[in-house]
Amino acid sequence: MSSNPFENPDESYFALVNDEGQYSLWPASIPVPEGWTQAHGEDTREACLAHIESAWTDMRPNSLINASN
Amino acid sequence: MIPLSYAQRRLWFINQLEEPNGTYNVPVVVRFRGPLEVENLRGALLDVVVRHEALRTTFCERDGELWQEVTDEEAVELTFVTRDCAEAELEGLVDAETARPFDLAVDMPLRALLLSVDPEQHVLVVVMHHIASDGWSMAPLLRDLATAYEARCAGRAPGWEPLPVQYADYTLWQRELLGDENDPDSVLARQLAFWKQELADLPEELALPADRPRPAAGSHLGGTVRFEGDADVHRRLARLAQADGGTLFMVLQAALGVLLSRLGAGTDIPLGTPVAGRTDEALDELVGFFVNTLVLRTDLSGNPTFTELLARVRRSDLAAFENQDVPFEQLVQELNPDRSLARNPLFQVMLVLQNAATPRLDFAGLDAEHRIAASTGSKFDLTLDLAERQDLYGGPAGLSGTLQYSADLFDRRTAEWLAASLLRVLEAVAAFPDARVGELDLLSDEELALLEEWNGPAGVPVRECAHEVVEARAADTPEATALVFRDERVTYAELNARANRVARQLRAAGVERGRVVGVLLERGVDLVAAVLGVLKAGAGYTVLDTDFPADRWKAVLGQVDAEVVVTTADYAERLPELRAVRLDAEADRIAAQAPEDLGLAVGLDDVACVMFTSGSTGRPKGVVASHRALVATLVGQEFVGFGPDEVWLQCSPVSWDAFALELFGALFSGGTCVLQPGQRPEPAVIEALVAEHKVSTMHVSASLLNFLLDMYPGVFGSVRQVMTGGEPASMPHVRKLLEQRPDLRLVNGYSPVENMIFTMCHTAVPADASSVSLPVGRPIAGKRVYVLDNFLNLVPPGVAGELYMAGPGLARGYAGQPALTSERFVANPFEPGTRMYRTGDLVRWRADGVMEFLGRADQQVKIRGFRIELGEVEAALSRCEGVRQAVVLAREDSPGDKRLVGYVIAEPQRQSALDPADLREQVAAFLPEYMVPSAVVVLEAIPRTPNGKLDRKALPAPDYSAASTGRAPRTPQEEILCALFAEVLGLEKVGIDDSFFALGGHSLLATRLISRIRTALDAELGIRTVFEARTVAALAQRLSRAGKARPALRRRSRETP
C-alpha cells in the first residue's frame, strides 16, 4: 500500500463530528460518511487536528454525558 | 558475419540462460480440408524459408560477442515431419510440438509438423522461434506459403518479387539509424535520454494480488483465460477515446491501470506493450523479429477522474511512441534495474491490442483455416491481449480478450476473477468517465455478499455492566469457586462481598462515576477484589504493574487524571501525590463496610478500564474501554468454550488486555480463575498450577507458547483450549502442538487493544501447517472488520488492504488525547454516525473467508524491489538444525541499503556454537536468494520490551566486515576468477565471497564473464551458473564439476549485403 489517506501531510482534510460529539479526521478527497458533519476545514491536516484538540474537551460520548447529569 | 539486432540479443540471452523451454516459440497452425499435396506443401515451405533469411539463421557467440549466420540457400535442411493421427490426438500433438524448445546455436528457427487425420484432413504446425518471427510476420508468412504452394501445384516456381531487403540488412540499418550512444546527437542517445527521464524511479516490481510468493526463478508456466466484452461497452469506450483525441488502446491502458491500482499496485503503474517496429515500409513483407517493447507509465496519483487519467495517458503515450526506436534490451541495459530470474525487468504486465493484419489463406483447391494456438507459457506475470470485434459495417461489436497468467503466481480462478474485474472496470469507466478512479465500484455483488457473510454473526446485546455480570454469577452460584491463589480458594459470594466493601471504601475516599482509579497491587485475591470494587464504585480501573518504575505509574495516572489509587501501604509511600486506599493498613475499616451490592447507576458506555500501550511520541497511550466493550467481547462468544466448568489461568502481565480476558473470561461465566503468583508468566509455576488445579483454558503469547513447548512439553496436560496471539505464532511450534495434542483447541486471537482483547479468532487446523503463518480467522460475534484500499473502498477477497475494525469492542479513544483519537478512530462509511479503528495492519481475505495477517502497512519489507514476508524467512531459519528461535528484520544501517538480517538463538542443549555462514547456506537451500538474510547474528537471548514483546530496536546491527567481504583467494583457480571478476566488473579487487551482482554485475556482463572463463580456464559454464553461484568461491566449486570447454566456433565468411 502506498499511503494511507489519513497519513498524507500534503492533502487537505476535514474535522468531522457525529451526534455523539466524537471527532474524526477525514480526507477531503473522500466523500463524508453519513451521520457526520464538518466541524472544521477543508484545511491542512495539522490545522484540523489542532481544531479537534481544542474543541473536543469532554471525550465521553454525548449520550453518556446526558445520562450522567 | 553479421551481429545480432538488439532484440535478437535479448532472446538469444534468454535462450541460453534458461532451462530449455518453449516460452518464446511462435506457433502457426493451419487446418486444411481437401486433397492436400503434401510434397508440394513441403516444397512451398522450403521456398518460404529460402525467401526469408531470418528463417534459416543460426546464432553463435565468440569472444563475448554474438553473431548470426545465414545458412546458404542450397544447404537449408527443412525439418518437415509428417505423421498420421486420430482427431482426438490433434490437440495434444500440437501442444507438444509447440512446447518443444529450440537450441538457437544449432537448430534452424523454423520447423514443421504435418498431422494427417485422413487424406482430406490435415493440420500443419509451423513452429518458429520468436527470434525469427513476430505477430506481424504471420500475414507475409502465410501469404507467401499459399503463393508458393499454388505455384508448386501448377508445376512452376513461385512468381513473387524478390524481397527488397533481408533481416540482416535491417540489423545493420538499425545500428546505423540509431547511431552511437556516445554521440549526443544520435537517435539512440536522444531517445535514451527521454526514457531515462520518463522512467526515473520506476517501481521495481508491481504488487499484484498473487496467490503465491514469487519463486526465485520463474518457470514461465502459465495459462490463459478468455473473456468477452459486449458491444455497448465497446462503443462507449471507442467514443470516449475519440472525444479526447485518444485511441482505444489508451482507454484500455488507463482502465488496466485503474484495475491494478485499485488492487493494490500503487499509483505508478508501468505496463509493457509491443510495437511493430517496422518503421520502414521495406520491412512490411518480411518475416522476422522486428517487434519492440515499450514501457508505458500510467500515473494514477491524486485520484484523478478517468477522463483526466486518459489525458495523462495520451500525453505520455504520444511521447513514448515518438521514442519507440530504442530497443527494449538497450533500455534495460541503460536503466539497469535490479535484474532477476524471477521477473521481467521494468514491467511485469503486458498489454496488447491486436492490430496486425489478418492473414489471408488462398491455398489452391483447399479450405484452409488459421488457428491461433493456445500458448501454455507465460512470459510476464500477466499479459492482457485484446482484439476488437467488428460488425458488418466495421463498427464496434465487442472486445475479445485473453488474459495470460504466470502459473508461478496465480491460480486459474484468480486469473478469471481478474478478467471479470477488468470487465467491471471497463463498464464502470464507460458509464461514469467523470468519476474519480478511487470512487469506481469494482466489487461484484457476489463479492459484497461474501464480505458481509464473513463478517460473522451478530453479537448478543449487552445489558449489564461488567461488575453486574459478576454479581449475577455470585447470586446464581454463591458457593462456586471464583479464584484460586496459593492455598486460598475464594467463592463467588466471598469475592463479591469483598469487592463491595472495597467499593464502599472507595466511595468514601471520594471516587465517583466516570473517574479512573489506579490499582497498584501484586497479583492476588486483593487485586481482583480491587478491580471489581473500582467498577462497583462506578469508576474505571487501570492496573499498574508493580514491576514498572514509579515514574511510569505517575505518567499513567496523570494521563487519566486519577486522584485515587488502591494499593498497599508501602507502594502508597511512593505515590505521595495521590489519595491511597491501602488495603492492608485500612483492612479493619474496609471489613466494617457493608457487603451488599451497591446498585449504583453505571452506564454501558461508562469507562470500565484504561489499558496503556506505548505511544510513538514516547507518551504512553491510555486506551479507554467501556463496560460494553469488555462484556461484548467475553459474553455470548464462542471463540473458546465458556462456562462454570472451565478453569482459567491468569498468568499474563496485569497491564495487558489479556489480564481482562483471563480474569473476566472466568468470572463472567461462573468459572474458576487460578492466579499465578508473581508478575511475569513463570513456566515452571504454570506447569505446576496446570497440574494441580486441572487448568482447562489458558492464554499465552506466541513467544511464551514456543518456550513452553520447547522446555515444558508436558505443560498442557489437562488443558483443553489454548489461546495465543499478540504476535505471529511460530508455525513449527504450532505444528508440533497440533501433532502432540490433536484434541486440544488452539485459537489464534488477534486484536489491537483499541478493539478489546480479540476482534478475530481462528481455531488452528492441521491444514494450517502448510501456511507461512497462522491466519487470524474471522471476526468474533458482534465485531466488524473492513479491509480497505487507500480510497477507503472495500477490497475484494485475495487483495491486500488495511484493516479497520468496528463494533461494540471499540474503545472510546485515547485518554486525554483527542487529536490522536480522531486520527485513529475515524468515521465509518459503512455504518452511519459510527466510528472504526484504523489498525495500520495489512491483511487479506483468503478465498475461504479466513483472514491472513500480512504485516504492518507502513513497514512493508521490500529488498531490491522484492516483497518479502519476514515470517517465511524466520520459519526457514527456525527449521535449521540447532536453532531454537529466529527473528528477521529488514535493516537499513547505511542509507538506501536495506538488508535482511536474521537473529537466532541456539537450542539450550546444543554444545557447539551456531555458525552464521552455515545457517545462511542452509536457508539458501530452500529460499529464493533475495529472501536469504545478508547476515545472521547469533544472540544469547531475544531482547524484549517490558511487556514481553520483541524489542526490535535492541537488536544489534550486524558486522559485515566480520563476515569478510574481501577474503583472499585460496587456490590458483580462485585467484584467476577474482581477476576475471574484477576485469569484467571494472574493479580493482574482488574477494572470493563477494557476489557478482552485488558489485554491479548484470546479465550481459555475466555473458562476458562466462566467455572470459572459457578462454582463461578452459571450462564451460552456463550463464545460469553465475546466477546460482554468484561468488568466486561458489563459482570455483562449480568449475571443478563443469565440463571441458566446447570446441571454438569456426569462423565462417559471409558477404555483407
Side-chain angles (χ1 to χ4, degrees):
Chain A
M1 305 287 286
S2 42
S3 63
N4 184 285
F6 292 95
E7 296 288 352
N8 197 334
D10 304 326
E11 289 289 322
S12 53
Y13 288 86
F14 293 122
L16 303 183
V17 66
N18 66 7
D19 289 347
E20 289 286 8
Q22 295 166 319
Y23 282 78
S24 167
L25 184 70
W26 194 257
S29 60
I30 296 177
V32 173
E34 221 179 297
W36 293 80
T37 52
Q38 294 167 25
H40 183 86
E42 175 171 349
D43 206 335
T44 62
R45 190 175 189 278
E46 228 168 292
C48 288
L49 289 176
H51 172 83
I52 292 168
E53 193 75 23
S54 62
W56 197 5
T57 47
D58 186 343
M59 289 179 70
R60 294 177 298 166
N62 285 338
S63 56
L64 178 64
I65 296 172
N66 296 336
S68 305
N69 294 338
Chain B
M1 291 207 293
I2 305 293
L4 270 59
S5 72
Y6 291 102
Q8 283 179 318
R9 284 168 68 107
R10 177 159 160 274
L11 284 194
W12 182 89
F13 174 73
I14 290 171
N15 188 254
Q16 300 296 302
L17 176 66
E18 292 181 346
E19 300 291 343
N21 66 58
T23 311
Y24 285 88
N25 286 0
V26 180
V28 185
V29 181
V30 185
R31 176 142 199 163
F32 296 109
R33 291 184 184 80
L36 179 73
E37 296 184 29
V38 174
E39 278 317 300
N40 285 339
L41 183 64
R42 182 202 302 268
L45 193 57
L46 184 60
D47 291 338
V48 172
V49 171
V50 166
R51 178 171 165 81
H52 297 275
E53 282 186 5
L55 298 177
R56 50 186 163 97
T57 299
T58 56
F59 302 85
C60 67
E61 180 255 313
R62 208 183 165 87
D63 299 330
E65 290 299 325
L66 306 175
W67 306 98
Q68 51 182 324
E69 277 185 298
V70 180
T71 307
D72 294 342
E73 292 182 15
E74 305 76 41
V76 171
E77 283 177 28
L78 177 68
T79 305
F80 187 95
V81 178
T82 56
R83 175 169 174 180
D84 292 338
C85 73
E87 179 75 35
E89 295 174 278
L90 274 175
E91 197 171 337
L93 289 168
V94 170
D95 286 350
E97 183 63 16
T98 301
R100 204 152 59 81
F102 285 94
D103 181 349
L104 296 177
V106 180
D107 300 331
M108 290 289 160
L110 176 145
R111 61 171 186 255
L113 170 68
L114 184 69
L115 298 167
S116 303
V117 179
D118 61 47
E120 300 264 308
Q121 298 275 354
H122 303 270
V123 171
L124 174 67
V125 190
V126 176
V127 185
M128 289 168 285
H129 193 277
H130 196 6
I131 203 164
S133 175
D134 60 16
W136 284 269
S137 297
M138 293 304 127
L141 178 92
L142 287 170
R143 192 192 48 225
D144 286 353
L145 183 62
T147 306
Y149 178 76
E150 188 179 18
R152 291 231 167 212
C153 289
R156 51 181 168 78
W160 49 40
E161 290 290 312
L163 289 170
V165 292
Q166 288 287 356
Y167 193 83
D169 303 296
Y170 161 77
T171 307
L172 299 169
W173 171 81
Q174 183 194 32
R175 282 170 185 262
E176 197 180 316
L177 169 86
L178 292 177
D180 185 351
E181 189 186 338
N182 298 319
D183 167 9
D185 291 331
S186 70
V187 171
L188 188 59
R190 273 189 284 116
Q191 294 198 2
L192 276 175
F194 164 82
W195 286 109
K196 263 197 234 175
Q197 196 184 353
E198 177 72 13
L199 301 182
D201 303 318
L202 197 71
E204 276 183 7
E205 183 177 317
L206 204 56
L208 298 170
D211 296 295
R212 285 171 289 282
R214 190 180 290 275
S219 70
H220 291 312
L221 293 177
T224 302
V225 297
R226 292 175 195 286
F227 59 94
E228 304 283 331
D230 70 32
D232 180 51
V233 171
H234 184 191
R235 228 176 345 259
R236 285 166 186 256
L237 294 175
R239 265 207 300 271
L240 196 57
Q242 282 164 5
D244 288 290
T247 63
L248 182 65
F249 175 84
M250 292 168 184
V251 173
L252 296 171
Q253 179 195 338
L256 179 58
V258 170
L259 175 68
L260 296 176
S261 177
R262 288 288 302 271
L263 298 183
T267 56
D268 185 1
I269 312 279
L271 298 171
T273 197
V275 287
R278 296 172 188 242
T279 47
D280 191 296
E281 64 179 317
L283 303 174
D284 288 351
E285 302 307 313
L286 220 50
V287 174
F289 180 25
F290 300 96
V291 66
N292 192 17
T293 306
L294 291 190
V295 185
L296 302 176
R297 199 169 185 177
T298 314
D299 170 17
L300 287 111
S301 61
N303 197 13
T305 66
F306 188 76
T307 315
E308 285 164 9
L309 175 64
L310 198 52
R312 289 184 196 175
V313 167
R314 190 185 58 223
R315 253 194 321 275
S316 64
D317 278 11
L318 289 177
F321 286 118
E322 267 173 34
N323 290 278
Q324 63 165 286
D325 298 306
V326 178
F328 178 71
E329 21 295 313
Q330 192 77 358
L331 194 59
V332 172
Q333 213 174 328
E334 187 66 27
L335 297 176
N336 197 26
D338 205 48
R339 236 63 62 76
S340 144
L341 292 171
R343 61 173 181 231
N344 195 63
L346 301 185
F347 69 91
Q348 290 86 43
V349 177
M350 183 74 143
L351 172 65
V352 186
L353 179 61
Q354 291 298 339
N355 62 354
T358 318
R360 288 177 45 218
L361 299 167
D362 297 331
F363 284 84
L366 294 172
D367 172 25
E369 180 198 348
H370 180 211
R371 259 183 41 200
I372 311 280
S375 169
T376 52
S378 181
K379 301 180 187 72
F380 308 102
D381 292 356
L382 293 170
T383 302
L384 178 65
D385 195 323
L386 291 158
E388 290 186 82
R389 293 194 304 270
Q390 291 181 336
D391 60 23
L392 289 173
Y393 311 101
L399 292 165
S400 298
T402 62
L403 183 68
Q404 202 176 58
Y405 59 93
S406 157
D408 292 339
L409 301 179
F410 297 101
D411 291 333
R412 184 174 186 84
R413 193 169 65 167
T414 306
E416 284 167 351
W417 163 73
L418 282 168
S421 302
L422 178 75
L423 285 177
R424 273 197 300 281
V425 172
L426 290 173
E427 282 163 22
V429 301
F432 309 104
D434 292 321
R436 296 194 177 275
V437 298
E439 289 165 14
L440 296 169
D441 191 6
L442 299 192
L443 278 181
S444 68
D445 294 344
E446 295 79 25
E447 285 167 339
L448 259 178
L450 273 181
L451 292 176
E452 185 55 37
E453 182 194 325
W454 293 342
N455 239 323
V460 177
V462 176
R463 299 188 201 285
E464 293 168 308
C465 288
H467 57 281
E468 290 164 352
V469 181
V470 180
E471 286 165 1
R473 294 295 84 76
D476 299 342
T477 55
E479 296 313 312
T481 303
L483 299 178
V484 175
F485 181 67
R486 300 191 197 270
D487 297 332
E488 201 179 348
R489 297 184 80 87
V490 181
T491 65
Y492 271 85
E494 289 163 355
L495 174 62
N496 195 44
R498 209 152 150 178
N500 286 335
R501 291 187 169 105
V502 173
R504 289 198 163 82
Q505 189 71 12
L506 287 167
R507 296 291 290 191
V511 170
E512 288 175 352
R513 177 180 175 183
R515 300 306 302 244
V516 178
V517 174
V519 176
L520 177 58
L521 292 163
E522 281 161 26
R523 192 169 5 234
V525 175
D526 274 348
L527 170 72
V528 179
V531 161
L532 280 175
V534 170
L535 296 174
K536 285 164 175 274
Y541 69 83
T542 188
V543 181
L544 307 170
D545 196 316
T546 53
D547 278 0
F548 285 178
D551 281 347
R552 168 86 181 184
W553 302 336
K554 289 175 190 166
V556 158
L557 291 169
Q559 197 91 345
V560 291
D561 288 329
E563 292 171 344
V564 177
V565 61
V566 192
T567 185
T568 52
D570 50 344
Y571 287 121
E573 280 173 25
R574 289 151 72 184
L575 290 170
E577 309 85 348
L578 284 134
R579 244 177 297 147
V581 171
R582 295 161 301 162
L583 296 188
D584 51 352
E586 300 167 41
D588 293 348
R589 264 186 285 160
I590 295 168
Q593 297 282 5
E596 290 81 28
D597 292 341
L598 285 76
L600 295 173
V602 182
L604 296 176
D605 292 313
D606 266 309
V607 56
C609 57
V610 181
M611 293 163 290
F612 279 84
T613 169
S614 78
S616 54
T617 55
R619 192 175 161 202
K621 280 193 297 200
V623 178
V624 180
S626 65
H627 284 264
R628 184 193 306 281
L630 191 53
V631 175
T633 303
L634 296 172
V635 173
Q637 295 291 354
E638 293 177 344
F639 55 84
V640 289
F642 293 86
D645 297 334
E646 297 296 340
V647 180
W648 293 64
L649 179 67
Q650 205 285 293
C651 64
S652 293
V654 294
S655 57
W656 287 14
D657 55 349
F659 166 73
L661 167 68
E662 293 163 355
L663 179 64
F664 292 114
L667 297 188
F668 286 172
S669 54
T672 301
C673 183
V674 178
L675 303 169
Q676 183 220 276
Q679 294 303 98
R680 298 279 156 269
E682 286 180 42
V685 180
I686 290 174
E687 186 177 46
L689 289 175
V690 168
E692 189 186 343
H693 299 294
K694 302 263 178 304
V695 169
S696 65
T697 303
M698 58 194 286
H699 169 272
V700 286
S701 69
S703 44
L704 181 58
L705 178 71
N706 299 346
F707 186 83
L708 289 174
L709 286 171
D710 287 337
M711 308 303 291
Y712 297 84
V715 66
F716 295 123
S718 58
V719 178
R720 292 193 300 265
Q721 36 195 20
V722 172
M723 289 159 279
T724 186
E727 51 196 334
S730 142
M731 285 315 289
H733 289 92
V734 167
R735 269 193 289 275
K736 199 158 132 191
L737 182 57
L738 290 179
E739 277 163 26
Q740 282 173 4
R741 288 287 310 274
D743 59 314
L744 183 140
R745 183 172 178 186
L746 176 64
V747 175
N748 190 32
Y750 160 76
S751 185
V753 58
E754 283 85 345
N755 204 33
M756 186 53 89
I757 303 177
F758 290 155
T759 297
M760 313 198 64
C761 280
H762 174 76
T763 298
V765 291
D768 293 331
S770 58
S771 309
V772 171
S773 63
L774 209 49
V776 295
R778 289 196 189 181
I780 65 171
K783 298 201 178 181
R784 314 273 301 168
V785 295
Y786 310 100
V787 186
L788 304 184
D789 66 15
N790 285 336
F791 308 108
L792 306 184
N793 298 298
L794 290 164
V795 301
V799 175
E802 220 179 303
L803 182 63
Y804 291 72
M805 299 176 160
L810 206 61
R812 287 195 342 210
Y814 299 116
Q817 304 198 62
L820 187 63
T821 302
S822 75
E823 280 182 47
R824 304 300 304 201
F825 295 83
V826 299
N828 179 354
F830 308 98
E831 260 178 83
T834 66
R835 300 182 301 163
M836 58 183 186
Y837 174 69
R838 175 162 73 87
T839 66
D841 288 333
L842 203 57
V843 298
R844 71 169 179 181
W845 284 111
R846 276 186 349 203
D848 58 354
V850 167
M851 189 178 285
E852 290 179 316
F853 175 82
L854 301 175
R856 291 291 299 173
D858 42 6
Q859 287 177 346
Q860 187 180 78
V861 174
K862 277 197 171 184
I863 304 274
R864 294 192 291 129
F866 282 103
R867 293 202 297 168
I868 297 175
E869 300 295 344
L870 294 178
E872 196 179 345
V873 186
E874 288 174 350
L877 273 172
S878 305
R879 279 199 293 268
C880 291
E881 202 258 320
V883 173
R884 198 179 95 205
Q885 202 184 348
V887 171
V888 176
L889 292 190
R891 297 188 71 105
E892 202 169 347
D893 291 310
S894 60
D897 182 18
K898 202 188 273 178
R899 298 182 181 194
L900 276 191
V901 179
Y903 296 89
V904 294
I905 51 176
E907 293 282 6
Q909 307 89 344
R910 192 181 164 86
Q911 300 300 316
S912 58
L914 289 169
D915 174 13
D918 175 51
L919 291 175
R920 286 191 68 231
E921 248 181 64
Q922 286 191 50
V923 169
F926 45 91
L927 280 188
E929 180 272 337
Y930 63 83
M931 291 181 75
V932 177
S934 305
V936 174
V937 181
V938 182
L939 298 176
E940 292 292 326
I942 300 286
R944 306 239 161 236
T945 62
N947 272 344
K949 292 195 177 178
L950 173 68
D951 187 359
R952 288 167 193 275
K953 286 192 203 96
L955 289 167
D959 182 3
Y960 287 100
S961 67
S964 162
T965 56
R967 188 151 67 110
R970 300 161 297 184
T971 63
Q973 200 181 38
E974 286 187 348
E975 197 175 332
I976 295 173
L977 280 175
C978 280
L980 294 179
F981 266 53
E983 177 196 320
V984 169
L985 293 166
L987 295 173
E988 204 133 288
K989 214 175 140 202
V990 172
I992 64 169
D993 301 313
D994 300 343
S995 161
F996 182 75
F997 296 91
L999 296 178
H1002 53 71
S1003 41
L1004 282 175
L1005 284 178
T1007 327
R1008 221 156 268 167
L1009 181 69
I1010 297 293
S1011 180
R1012 294 290 296 118
I1013 289 173
R1014 187 181 303 133
T1015 319
L1017 290 168
D1018 189 29
E1020 187 67 53
L1021 290 179
I1023 295 161
R1024 194 186 183 83
T1025 313
V1026 184
F1027 271 88
E1028 287 167 355
R1030 300 174 164 217
T1031 65
V1032 165
L1035 210 50
Q1037 263 190 351
R1038 291 297 187 93
L1039 271 180
S1040 45
R1041 279 187 265 148
K1044 276 279 180 199
R1046 58 186 174 190
L1049 279 159
R1050 189 166 54 88
R1051 181 182 287 278
R1052 299 210 294 190
S1053 61
R1054 190 198 183 282
E1055 284 173 14
T1056 308

